[in-house]
Amino acid sequence: MNPEHGIPVSPRLTCHPDKQRLYGADTYYQESHEQLAALTGDVTGFAHRHAALLLKPDAVVARRLEAAVDWLTEQRYRIVGAAVTRLSRTMIRSLWYFQWNLATPHRRRLAALFLEDADALVLLVRPEREPYVPASVELTRLKGPTDPDARRPGQLRHLLGRYSYLLNLVHTPDEPADVLRELAVHFDDATREELFRTALAGEDRTAHALELAGRLYADTKPRDLHFDPAAERLRDTVTRHLGALPDASPRTLLETAWDQGLELDPWDAVIVGSSVLPMRVPGRAPVLDGAGTDTWRRHLDVLNARPN
């Protein structure tokens, strides 16, 4: 990164040289890094020791927030910060700016229907033991993959519910650099500073997280995210407006309803659409991606072997 374009990004914050270059000039990353640097002389250590967990609107309406908090406790992660966020259209694209180049138009349309329907909860967490690989990398591994068929018992996404590729309930920043950047995407200076200060103080904010969960529940209706009931409601809606289409598949019903401009329950459209429509453009890779724990161990071994 040329100095006139941005700030240096330590190789201890990401394995990827491309991410170092792009994030150094990224406004969100710069804001978070500069604010944290005013509070501590060890920005890299802070980002290495902390991870973030976004509990999305689907986790809110499915009433799975407490289960996620309990899982974090079982995995020996302490919640050191918690705040509510609203995933607006701009925020959604900012969070996944370097990954949504592979999203289909269907995925973008469906994401807008549910991500903006309710507020979400961000938890800033720290493992009890000092990690060798970054906390964000390990939490991403423990969270489980996007593909519901690839999730395994013990993983957070397996515990919370295997609904679809899109309805995965939680998100974690992949690497330490992503933790810093995404906190700036979600929050203004004041909220972010409070999160940084409580984390630096090592405060246990579990009770506060549960209080916020209760507020989110009070503001939203619970929803069943399973496919069959949603598909049946979709069929009933189409039949009521257009007549019976007994041989139509759920995908045909959804696309027909959209073509005819029918007003659908947004959650039903998301539940059905995320199961029957393509979510990813074949053959396309994200601009930036994360790195697994094995890659990070090798990366850190190389860095630690270098002379000071």
Side-chain angles (χ1 to χ4, degrees), residues 4 24 29-30 52 72 91 97 110 121 146 180 182 243 258 268 280 289 296-297:
E4 67 270 18
Y29 179 84
Q30 289 180 7
L72 286 168
M91 187 181 292
Y97 181 79
L110 293 172
L121 182 63
T146 304
L180 296 182
E182 292 186 21
W258 280 344
D268 287 345
R280 183 169 180 158
D289 208 349
W296 259 96
R297 286 192 183 94

Side-chain angles (χ1 to χ4, degrees), residues 234-246 248 252-264:
L234 172 62
R235 186 175 294 278
D236 289 344
T237 299
V238 173
T239 299
R240 191 164 58 250
H241 289 87
L242 303 177
L245 300 172
T252 298
L253 289 171
L254 180 59
E255 292 179 331
T256 299
W258 280 344
D259 289 343
Q260 296 299 315
L262 299 186
E263 184 174 344
L264 300 177

Side-chain angles (χ1 to χ4, degrees), residues 167 223-240 245-246 248-255 257 264-276:
L167 293 173
R223 297 296 305 238
D224 178 358
L225 301 182
H226 290 93
F227 178 83
D228 288 342
E232 190 61 33
R233 289 191 295 268
L234 172 62
R235 186 175 294 278
D236 289 344
T237 299
V238 173
T239 299
R240 191 164 58 250
L245 300 172
S249 67
R251 176 170 181 168
T252 298
L253 289 171
L254 180 59
E255 292 179 331
L264 300 177
D265 180 284
W267 282 102
D268 287 345
V270 172
I271 294 165
V272 174
S274 62
S275 294
V276 302

